[in-house]
């Protein structure tokens, strides 16, 4: 058994702002059958501590970045969860990263440095007599861990894997925080954790972790280019040998379509139209979107391309939240178009009804490390229409002439990410929808696609095993 501590700032079912939570929540269970004993370390945000069934304390420190901290033991399915309780850092209303007005918590550098420090301490001291051999670090929030591990003199015993879920977030902090964060000045240079004069927690992870990964093979290659690397491409090119792309899966116990054949969808489509007041009897596909509304997701171009869908009898149902200007733009669009329904907010149950009832799911992202909603779409026979980028390129088989002739297409891909190319793709989608046998075949292909964790769990297990350092 390889002992792995997964260090994450969010985790389903306890706290989620995006796809990282799904992945962190699913990994331990997915790996259990692959010779990996994975435990998870998560910050004790107020809402997380409130969900713990018991308060068993398994470690404590008198001073972790300005206050006492304890590790509470919980459960994540059948696996062990460690919750880092540190009231001065986490016991407050609001989200994991922002306050109720959407502003970053000013002490975010300390809040996540504390998570990293606790991970390193656990690696060094063990916890409940359990000594992790590998620390699996997710995104910038866990990025400082390898530095603290070195400071403790434990880096030659415990291996670290840094996984990039989203390079857009880099964990920047002013250089003046070096002493406060306990970071040696000797690492503050361009081959260390200095990035344009500031500290970058992400860069610390990219430089000092033993191995690096991201969540799809295509994105691993893209990350090393200036276009996608967000300034980190140079660091990543230097570490090309250590960088691997392992696709995300979805938790097939949590995402179960309420039908097991394409014909089953009709009733759910009708119910969804009814729920959202979308008129019945339109000839085109009902397209859905479930997304954070940010620049990354490319939904601004969807607004421009929508006439190509609506004019051909298609409809759109969108669930999302994020950028206030984009929220307002979608609301206004829905007010003017009877074929468009928009729900602003975060709603897991509605997300499932949309994916079950929709004919197609749209993911026009400018970049997408892996993407999960297209995987849900595949599982539910809700054909993904996606930008040809990152994990979207790796998981969908385009309905190109070759894909159709081979009978293996599962969706539609387009590039470049422009309104024009998207409009063209929407027209292709409508035309496929009108060819019922072709569409039904694609639905069946999609529903049979391997979107679970099995392959990727094998890949992670092999990687961890390779990384273990001799005792
Ligand atoms: N309004 C809403 N209501 C309900 N549910 C909503 C919602 N908005 C989003 N979601 C859910 O949040 C998750 C989003 O995950 P994604 O992987 O698609 O993107 P995200 O950019 O968050 O993740 C980043 O990390 C993941 C994990 O590695 C990568 O797949 C991805 O490419 C990368 O950008 C999905 O489970 C989706 O259903």
């Amino acid at each position: 058994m390889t002992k792995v501590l997964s260090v994450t700032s969010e985790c389903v079912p306890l706290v989620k702002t995006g796809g990282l939570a799904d992945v962190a929540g699913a990994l331990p269970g997915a790996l259990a059958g692959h010779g990996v004993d994975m435990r998870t370390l998560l910050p004790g945000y107020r809402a997380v501590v409130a969900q713990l069934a018991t308060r068993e304390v398994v470690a404590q420190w008198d001073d972790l970045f300005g206050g006492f901290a304890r590790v509470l033991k919980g459960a994540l399915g059948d696996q062990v969860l460690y919750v880092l309780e540190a009231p001065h850092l986490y016991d407050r209303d609001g989200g994991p990263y922002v306050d109720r007005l959407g502003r970053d918590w000013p002490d975010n550098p300390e809040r996540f440095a504390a998570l990293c420090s606790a991970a390193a301490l656990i690696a060094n001291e063990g916890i409940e007599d359990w000594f992790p051999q590998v620390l699996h670090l997710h995104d910038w929030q866990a990025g400082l861990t390898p530095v603290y591990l070195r400071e403790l003199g434990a880096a030659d015993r415990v291996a670290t894997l840094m996984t990039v879920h989203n390079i857009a977030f880099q964990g920047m902090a002013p250089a003046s925080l070096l002493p406060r964060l306990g970071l040696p000045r000797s690492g503050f240079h361009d081959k260390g954790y200095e990035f344009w004069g500031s500290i970058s927690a992400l860069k610390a992870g990219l430089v000092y972790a033993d191995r690096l990964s991201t969540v799809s093979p295509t994105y691993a290659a893209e990350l090393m280019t200036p276009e996608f690397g967000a300034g980190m491409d140079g660091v990543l090119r230097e570490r090309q040998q250590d960088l691997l792309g392992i696709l995300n899966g979805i938790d097939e116990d949590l995402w179960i379509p309420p039908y097991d054949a394409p014909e089953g969808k009709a009733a759910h489509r009708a119910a969804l139209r009814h729920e959202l007041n979308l008129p019945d009897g339109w000839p085109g596909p009902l397209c859905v979107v479930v997304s954070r509304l940010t620049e990354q997701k490319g939904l601004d171009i969807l607004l421009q391309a929508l006439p190509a869908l609506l004019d051909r009898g298609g409809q759109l149902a969108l669930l999302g939240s994020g950028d206030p200007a984009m929220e307002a733009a979608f609301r206004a669009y829905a007010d003017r178009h009877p074929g468009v329904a928009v729900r602003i907010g975060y709603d897991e149950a509605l997300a499932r009804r949309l994916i079950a009832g929709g004919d197609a799911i749209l993911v026009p992202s400018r970049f997408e490390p892996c993407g999960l909603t297209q995987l849900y779409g595949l599982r539910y026979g809700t054909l993904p229409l996606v930008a040809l980028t990152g994990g979207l390129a790796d998981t969908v088989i385009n309905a190109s002439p070759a894909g159709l002739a081979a009978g293996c297409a599962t969706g539609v891909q387009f590039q470049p990410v422009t309104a024009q190319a998207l409009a063209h793709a929407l027209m292709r989608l409508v035309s496929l929808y009108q060819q019922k046998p072709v569409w039904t075949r694609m639905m069946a292909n999609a529903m049979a696609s391997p979107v679970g964790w099995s392959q990727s769990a094998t890949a992670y297990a092999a990687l961890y095993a390779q990384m273990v350092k001799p005792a």
Side-chain angles (χ1 to χ4, degrees):
M1 280 291 218
T2 316
K3 286 176 276 185
V4 181
L5 181 68
S6 169
V7 184
T8 182
S9 58
E10 46 185 281
C11 186
V12 162
L14 295 147
V15 51
K16 166 167 168 176
T17 74
L20 166 59
D22 296 276
V23 173
L27 266 182
L31 287 160
H34 288 77
V36 176
D37 171 13
M38 175 177 276
R39 303 187 180 188
T40 301
L41 178 67
L42 180 72
Y45 312 115
R46 180 173 287 178
V48 167
V49 173
Q51 289 173 73
L52 291 178
T54 59
R55 296 283 162 99
E56 187 187 343
V57 178
V58 287
Q60 53 190 5
W61 302 289
D62 291 339
D63 182 10
L64 191 72
F65 294 90
F68 82 91
R70 315 191 292 182
V71 177
L72 307 177
K73 186 173 182 177
L76 194 58
D78 296 332
Q79 269 61 48
V80 174
L81 172 73
Y82 293 126
V83 170
L84 178 62
E85 186 189 38
H88 60 297
L89 301 171
Y90 307 129
D91 185 21
R92 44 182 94 162
D93 286 334
Y97 318 121
V98 297
D99 66 15
R100 271 182 296 184
L101 297 175
R103 297 170 304 204
D104 281 349
W105 294 113
D107 57 348
N108 272 347
E110 288 91 337
R111 295 173 72 235
F112 295 102
L115 177 69
C116 299
S117 188
L121 288 165
I122 289 173
N124 191 42
E125 300 163 5
I127 190 163
E128 299 186 282
D129 284 330
W130 184 83
F131 287 83
Q133 298 162 297
V134 178
L135 301 181
H136 188 162
L137 312 171
H138 301 281
D139 274 353
W140 75 266
Q141 291 88 345
L144 293 175
T145 310
V147 180
Y148 296 139
L149 207 57
R150 284 177 170 225
E151 291 301 292
L152 291 170
D156 52 355
R157 283 182 281 123
V158 183
T160 45
L161 169 65
M162 177 79 215
T163 295
V164 177
H165 296 267
N166 198 334
I167 197 93
F169 302 109
Q170 306 189 331
M172 305 299 289
S176 58
L177 282 186
L178 280 169
R180 169 100 184 103
L181 298 180
L183 295 173
R185 197 159 272 282
S186 58
F188 191 67
H189 52 77
D190 73 338
K191 301 285 179 215
Y193 31 76
E194 185 261 349
F195 190 61
W196 297 104
S198 296
I199 302 164
S200 163
L202 176 68
K203 193 175 170 197
L206 298 179
V207 169
Y208 294 107
D210 295 302
R211 299 292 291 270
L212 309 176
S213 76
T214 187
V215 288
S216 70
T218 293
Y219 192 63
E222 288 172 345
L223 270 181
M224 290 183 279
T225 67
E227 189 187 348
F228 290 97
M232 299 290 173
D233 45 294
V235 184
L236 287 159
R237 277 195 301 277
E238 279 183 28
R239 300 215 52 196
Q240 181 162 9
Q241 304 296 339
D242 300 319
L243 172 63
L244 205 65
I246 301 179
L247 270 181
N248 288 333
I250 63 172
D251 190 329
E252 290 175 300
D253 295 333
L254 296 180
W255 292 89
I256 306 171
Y259 43 84
D260 51 19
E263 307 76 62
K265 183 180 278 290
H268 295 273
R269 185 197 302 116
L272 183 63
R273 282 199 167 118
H274 182 72
E275 174 179 355
L276 299 176
N277 289 321
L278 284 170
D280 257 330
W282 286 37
L286 169 54
C287 297
V288 300
V289 172
V290 178
S291 185
R292 297 184 293 111
L293 301 180
T294 62
E295 164 85 13
Q296 172 190 352
K297 302 297 178 180
L299 295 164
D300 46 319
I301 66 159
L302 177 60
L303 278 174
Q304 300 168 43
L306 263 183
L309 176 69
L310 303 177
D311 293 351
R312 286 165 183 76
Q315 295 175 329
L316 175 76
L318 173 137
L319 167 64
S321 60
D323 177 18
M326 227 185 280
E327 292 181 353
F330 271 105
R331 276 204 174 105
Y333 202 101
D335 286 344
R336 283 182 279 116
H337 294 87
V340 178
V342 167
R343 295 290 180 273
I344 300 301
Y346 188 90
D347 186 336
E348 289 272 340
L350 176 58
R352 282 172 167 73
R353 292 197 296 280
L354 283 169
I355 295 168
D359 293 301
I361 186 161
L362 312 181
V363 195
S365 306
R366 292 194 165 83
F367 69 95
E368 197 61 78
C370 178
L372 296 173
T373 60
Q374 87 280 13
L375 300 180
Y376 303 144
L378 289 170
R379 184 87 186 81
Y380 283 63
T382 309
L383 300 188
L385 183 158
V386 303
L388 185 66
T389 188
L392 301 173
D394 293 334
T395 53
V396 175
I397 302 176
N398 189 24
S400 64
L404 289 172
C408 60
T410 59
V412 171
Q413 291 171 324
F414 72 97
Q415 66 168 342
V417 184
T418 60
Q420 200 182 8
L422 176 54
H424 192 74
L426 286 167
M427 292 182 223
R428 271 207 288 148
L429 186 84
V430 174
S431 139
L432 289 163
Y433 185 73
Q434 285 158 351
Q435 305 166 51
K436 283 298 163 212
V438 175
W439 188 269
T440 308
R441 173 71 190 266
M442 286 177 68
M443 284 178 80
N445 291 344
M447 293 175 78
S449 296
V451 291
W453 272 104
S454 130
Q455 272 193 0
S456 298
T458 307
Y460 274 119
L463 176 61
Y464 300 143
Q466 230 181 58
M467 289 174 60
V468 170
K469 298 183 176 177

